[in-house]
């Protein structure tokens, strides 16, 4: 059992309230790896311990932060001429690509990168590690004949749905909800009328995936729309009445993006950890242990990108790892999308 200590950042460098976990080196400590990540430290532990089994001389400092905090720290520390994290792993795709595009990440050479899907990497600086779809979650007892399989099916269900039994993200509070809806608007121009139908049926909005999943699992809601599939899959193992489906007209997929900062203190260790996450072992751990579907086509279990692609093919619409995602940071675009969303759901 590896020695780990959890330290609150009071009295430590870093933002107040962030969680810092120290993973002591299982061997004679000679090196150090600092990670900034949005992944909960409890979930990250198996990845770090597996990496340390290969590299027992490396101690790991793991800082669990919000995506915005990560980007701000990397920029501030780099601009100040000080060292920053050796490895950054975040679900905020747009902010990660902004770091890479603005020169805060460094190109790396890792085994297998040449075989990584073209949509999942950018200029050897930013790499998608996961394949996480937006799903429809549903309360199984309410759908003995199966849930809606497309947005058209969903609209038909809404015509006779009980009042107030459908939920989705509040895009003004949820970054992932905003990204999913922005992609909806690109792939399906009629999404505003679908949202209008949801509103007519008493749509409820929430800031987090957990708020929606909990309510669908116990029947307070019957359907949750555009919910992050990785969270739903994990909860589904514990809540037998919670179901999920990838809509067959199209399914948006987002990814957690990794990079090695330009100002990393030990970029060789950051690169080594990236190589581990991209390896068959790392991707299998992500997929099977953490329930975060893998990008690598070498991993073909049920909870993998390869399995989803085999089932749905071109109906899957992954968000490319490219500067194109920076459009979602544009304030004018955001204001317009929020305005259309508010109009569609009847919010003043």
């Amino acid at each position: 059992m590896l020695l780990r200590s959890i330290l609150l950042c009071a009295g430590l460098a870093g933002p107040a309230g962030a969680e810092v976990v120290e993973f002591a080196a299982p061997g004679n400590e000679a090196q150090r790896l600092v990670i900034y990540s949005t992944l909960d430290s409890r979930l990250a532990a198996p990845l770090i311990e597996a990496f340390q089994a290969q590299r027992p001389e490396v101690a790991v400092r793991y800082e669990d932060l919000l995506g915005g905090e990560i980007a701000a720290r990397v920029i501030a520390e780099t601009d100040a001429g000080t060292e920053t994290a050796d490895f950054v792993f975040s679900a905020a795709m747009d902010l990660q690509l902004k770091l890479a595009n603005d020169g805060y990440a460094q190109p790396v050479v890792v085994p297998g990168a040449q075989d990584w899907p073209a949509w999942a990497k950018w200029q050897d600086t930013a790499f998608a590690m996961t394949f996480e779809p937006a799903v429809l979650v549903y309360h199984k007892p309410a759908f003995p004949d199966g849930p809606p399989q497309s947005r058209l099916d969903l609209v038909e269900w809404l015509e006779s749905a009980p009042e107030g039994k459908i939920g989705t993200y509040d895009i003004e509070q949820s970054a992932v909800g905003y990204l999913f809806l922005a992609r909806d608007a690109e792939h399906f121009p009629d999404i505003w009328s679908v949202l209008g139908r949801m509103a007519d049926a008493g749509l409820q909005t929430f800031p987090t995936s957990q708020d929606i999943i909990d309510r669908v699992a116990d029947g307070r809601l019957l359907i949750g729309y555009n919910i992050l599939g990785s969270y739903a899959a994990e909860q589904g193992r514990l809540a037998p009445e919670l179901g999920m489906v990838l809509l067959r007209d199209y399914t948006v997929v987002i990814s957690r993006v990794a990079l090695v900062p330009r100002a990393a203190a030990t970029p060789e260790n950051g690169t080594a950890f990236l190589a581990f996450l991209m390896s068959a072992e790392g991707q299998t751990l992500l997929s099977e242990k953490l329930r975060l579907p893998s990008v690598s086509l070498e991993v073909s279990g049920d909870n993998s990108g390869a399995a989803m692609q085999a089932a749905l093919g071109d109906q899957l619409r992954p968000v490319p790892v490219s500067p194109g995602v920076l459009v979602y940071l544009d304030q004018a675009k955001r204001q317009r999308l929020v305005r259309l969303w508010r109009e569609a759901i009847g919010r003043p």
Side-chain angles (χ1 to χ4, degrees):
M1 182 74 175
L2 297 179
L3 174 63
R4 290 186 284 156
S5 60
I6 300 179
L7 309 167
L8 292 180
C9 273
L12 293 172
E19 186 178 71
V20 177
V21 184
E22 297 282 357
F23 294 79
N28 295 322
E29 181 176 339
Q31 300 180 38
R32 188 171 178 79
L33 168 65
V34 177
I35 298 173
Y36 296 167
S37 174
T38 58
L39 183 64
D40 182 273
S41 57
R42 176 185 59 84
L43 292 175
L47 295 173
I48 294 169
E49 292 169 359
F51 172 73
Q52 288 182 315
Q54 297 181 6
R55 297 286 301 274
E57 75 283 6
V58 179
V60 177
R61 176 185 174 92
Y62 189 89
E63 302 202 22
D64 180 358
L65 302 161
L66 297 175
E69 293 172 335
I70 289 173
R73 283 189 66 182
V74 170
I75 291 169
E77 290 162 354
T78 304
D79 289 352
T82 59
E83 295 172 345
T84 189
D86 304 305
F87 182 81
V88 171
F89 186 42
S90 173
M93 291 186 73
D94 47 6
L95 295 176
Q96 289 287 87
L97 265 295
K98 183 167 176 58
L99 287 176
N101 189 63
D102 291 352
Y104 289 95
Q106 59 180 281
V108 294
V109 178
V110 292
Q114 67 276 8
D115 298 323
W116 213 243
W119 67 265
K121 60 185 177 182
W122 185 69
Q123 293 190 351
D124 295 325
T125 59
F127 299 85
M129 294 290 104
T130 62
F131 194 85
E132 301 180 53
V135 303
L136 184 145
V137 294
Y138 64 98
H139 188 61
K140 287 182 179 179
F143 296 93
D145 298 324
Q149 298 290 323
S150 68
R151 286 162 186 81
L152 178 59
D153 290 346
L154 177 60
V155 167
E156 292 178 355
W157 177 79
L158 288 168
E159 290 176 356
S160 57
E163 178 76 14
K165 291 295 186 177
I166 184 167
T168 191
Y169 295 110
D170 182 331
I171 69 164
E172 294 184 89
Q173 299 185 64
S174 168
V176 69
Y178 172 80
L179 179 56
F180 280 149
L181 184 62
R183 296 296 286 183
D184 267 348
E186 293 175 8
H187 293 300
F188 186 57
D190 202 33
I191 189 61
W192 309 112
S193 65
V194 175
L195 283 168
R197 296 290 187 88
M198 292 183 193
D200 292 341
L203 176 69
Q204 299 186 54
T205 62
F206 302 90
T208 72
S209 303
Q210 197 64 56
D211 289 327
I212 299 164
I213 290 169
D214 286 346
R215 286 166 171 80
V216 173
D218 66 18
R220 283 176 288 169
L221 295 175
L222 300 183
I223 279 181
Y225 176 74
N226 254 8
I227 310 308
L228 191 60
S230 52
Y231 288 169
E234 174 63 23
Q235 296 291 315
R237 295 196 298 173
L238 306 173
E241 295 190 338
L242 179 70
M244 57 177 272
V245 62
L246 281 68
L247 295 179
R248 292 191 173 274
D249 44 349
Y250 70 89
T251 293
V252 174
V253 179
I254 64 171
S255 301
R256 296 168 198 259
V257 174
L259 56 83
V260 176
R262 172 166 55 86
T266 56
E268 64 277 9
N269 287 337
T271 301
F273 192 71
L274 174 62
F276 170 74
L277 284 188
M278 293 176 71
S279 71
E281 180 182 359
Q283 289 282 290
T284 299
L285 275 172
L286 280 170
S287 180
E288 297 181 1
K289 185 78 172 180
L290 278 66
R291 307 298 295 172
L292 295 174
S294 53
V295 170
S296 173
L297 298 179
E298 291 186 72
V299 179
S300 57
D302 290 343
N303 194 47
S304 68
M308 291 182 210
Q309 291 176 75
L312 293 178
D314 291 342
Q315 291 165 324
L316 294 171
R317 309 290 171 83
V319 178
V321 177
S322 78
V325 300
L326 301 184
V327 69
Y328 304 123
L329 295 175
D330 180 80
Q331 287 305 303
K333 181 178 177 66
R334 178 181 176 84
Q335 289 169 7
R336 178 179 180 275
L337 192 79
V338 169
R339 176 178 57 78
L340 291 171
W341 176 75
R342 281 174 162 267
E343 289 174 356
I345 67 172
R347 178 176 292 184

